[in-house]
Amino acid sequence: MSEEIADADADLRVLISRTAPGLLALLGVGTETAGQLLVTAGDNPDRLASEASFAHLCAAAPVPASSGRTDRHRLNRGGDRQANRALHTIVLVRMRHDPRTRDYVARRTLEGLKTKDIFRCLKRFVAREVYHHLTSEFSGATAPSPTA
């Protein structure tokens, strides 16, 4: 089974490299996560009007969840749960291996944000970054270099 999985991953990597090579270059994006995000975007990425619509599609858009004097947000529970899982995986990898993300997490923790809220912010950032890479890949332009 391990050999079959490795062969399937190699085939998938070739297909993704042809379709969206810049997506695999992003930190934390592997073959499976890139494939899932491409499936979520669909055959026609032009139907995604903005990065906000892609975030809603990936269930990574913030939704107000305030009551009384508490002002907070949560992630949209609708959308493609597998795309949300892919974003979650990317955020986990970045939190472990990317110094900029670790600095961001430390800064936001000192500001009083909970881990759940930091994940929400990071997922939204990753969704924005993936959207720009997807739209630039299909339009033929080069993707901008986002900053955290």
Side-chain angles (χ1 to χ4, degrees):
M1 284 300 264
S2 297
E3 291 176 14
E4 290 179 19
I5 292 171
D7 291 341
D9 280 345
D11 293 341
L12 184 60
R13 181 173 277 288
V14 169
L15 293 172
I16 291 171
S17 296
R18 281 190 214 145
T19 307
L23 196 58
L24 287 173
L26 293 175
L27 180 65
V29 178
T31 306
E32 290 182 27
T33 54
Q36 180 58 53
L37 293 169
L38 284 171
V39 166
T40 300
D43 288 339
N44 186 9
D46 296 331
R47 69 186 170 90
L48 301 172
S50 66
E51 63 188 33
S53 66
F54 182 70
H56 273 283
L57 184 62
C58 293
V63 176
S66 305
S67 65
R69 287 186 271 177
T70 306
D71 183 31
R72 63 183 190 87
H73 292 83
R74 64 171 176 79
L75 286 179
N76 180 11
R77 291 191 178 120
D80 187 346
R81 300 304 304 156
Q82 295 303 316
N84 188 277
R85 182 188 58 83
L87 293 178
H88 186 84
T89 302
I90 294 168
V91 168
L92 283 175
V93 169
R94 287 183 178 191
M95 286 177 74
R96 177 164 283 218
H97 299 288
D98 185 24
R100 292 182 319 152
T101 304
R102 280 187 270 157
D103 292 343
Y104 176 81
V105 170
R107 182 177 46 121
R108 297 295 282 195
T109 302
L110 286 175
E111 291 174 2
L113 252 62
K114 296 180 180 176
T115 305
K116 180 172 61 171
D117 295 328
I118 295 170
F119 259 89
R120 176 186 53 79
C121 295
L122 287 171
K123 279 185 184 180
R124 181 65 172 92
F125 175 78
V126 170
R128 181 178 302 122
E129 188 177 18
V130 167
Y131 171 79
H132 286 297
H133 275 311
L134 286 176
T135 55
S136 67
E137 293 289 339
F138 292 111
S139 69
T142 58
S145 172
T147 57

